[in-house]
Amino acid sequence: MVQLRPHLDPAEFVSQVQRQQQVGYHLVYLDVDAAVQAIAGFRIVETLANGKVLYIDDLVTDGVAQGNGYGKALIDWLLDYARSKDCASIHLDSGVQRTGAHRFYFGRGMTITAFHFGMKLDPDL
């Protein structure tokens, strides 16, 4: 996860995940030989725009393990899980600089459906 979210304080990671779990966040991973190769953080939400959705907050494959099918396996698991929970779709946001990830998402049949806008409220955060 640190490869995707290098800004996170490792000492605070577990407590942050636990706080997020209290509001529906799930963390799943794929390991090979006791080493995490891919990880995803997600939640199920319901919106007026999209109905019941599995929203992927975090998705990353270890940089040295990319190309081995681990990300595909994790996405396939997430799709099956979303279907089992009667979700209408899956969604995620991806930074505009992550062109390799975008190729992966397009290859899995995902499309760009919206722009995501944001504004920091405290410049120190």
Side-chain angles (χ1 to χ4, degrees), residues 101-115:
H102 303 160
R103 280 191 300 276
F104 174 77
Y105 302 140
F106 288 136
R108 298 296 306 134
M110 298 180 89
T111 60
I112 298 172
T113 60
F115 289 105

Side-chain angles (χ1 to χ4, degrees), residues 20-72:
Q20 289 178 215
Q21 285 175 322
Q22 292 175 7
V23 291
Y25 182 78
H26 301 274
L27 197 58
V28 296
Y29 62 92
L30 186 149
D31 72 72
V32 176
D33 298 327
V36 174
Q37 301 299 324
I39 191 165
F42 68 95
R43 53 202 157 104
I44 294 179
V45 298
E46 196 160 353
T47 68
L48 293 175
N50 298 301
K52 192 173 182 183
V53 171
L54 186 143
Y55 182 82
I56 303 168
D57 291 275
D58 312 292
L59 176 63
V60 65
T61 297
D62 184 10
V64 298
Q66 290 179 355
N68 290 312
Y70 302 136
K72 179 187 178 310

Side-chain angles (χ1 to χ4, degrees), residues 54 73-86:
L54 186 143
L74 199 52
I75 284 281
D76 288 346
W77 185 91
L78 290 164
L79 288 167
D80 288 343
Y81 185 84
R83 289 182 184 107
S84 78
K85 298 299 182 184
D86 297 319

